């Protein structure tokens, strides 16, 4: 099939399924702490995560909820949209 240019789908090999545009429970917790004014390092210390993991969760939450800043994130979470 490859010789004729037909793409071969790879089977699902396990792992976590994506939540799509919905925040995961960990993303929601991190977003709530970020919107309350805590720094990435403070969140990382509180939740026993690396600072880089917190950065990833915050940026993912901002993207998924269509926010441009932590202040926007706070408004969205306060309105119950997140």
């Amino acid at each position: 099939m490859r010789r004729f240019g037909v793409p071969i789908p790879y089977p699902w090999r396990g792992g976590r399924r994506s939540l799509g545009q919905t925040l995961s429970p960990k993303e929601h917790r991190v977003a709530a702490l970020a919107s309350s004014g805590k720094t990435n390092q403070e969140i990382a210390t509180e939740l026993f995560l690396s600072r880089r993991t917190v950065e990833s969760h915050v940026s993912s939450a901002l993207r998924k909820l269509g926010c441009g800043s932590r202040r926007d994130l706070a408004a969205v979470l306060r309105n119950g949209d997140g």
Side-chain angles (χ1 to χ4, degrees):
M1 289 175 65
R2 285 188 181 113
R3 195 172 15 171
F4 298 110
V6 177
I8 299 172
Y10 288 99
W12 182 66
R13 293 190 175 116
R16 294 184 179 148
R17 294 280 186 178
S18 171
L19 292 175
Q21 291 303 106
T22 305
L23 294 183
S24 71
K26 186 67 78 172
E27 287 171 338
H28 192 274
R29 179 74 177 129
V30 169
L33 291 170
S35 67
S36 72
K38 293 195 180 234
T39 66
N40 289 348
Q41 188 59 55
E42 290 169 339
I43 296 167
T45 301
E46 184 173 329
L47 298 181
F48 302 101
L49 300 170
S50 74
R51 183 185 47 79
R52 181 65 186 106
T53 300
V54 172
E55 290 173 6
S56 177
H57 285 323
V58 170
S59 65
S60 180
L62 289 170
R63 179 182 44 79
K64 286 180 178 182
L65 298 176
C67 299
S69 68
R70 289 176 184 231
R71 183 174 289 151
D72 296 341
L73 190 60
V76 169
L77 292 176
R78 197 170 28 252
N79 291 334
D81 297 336

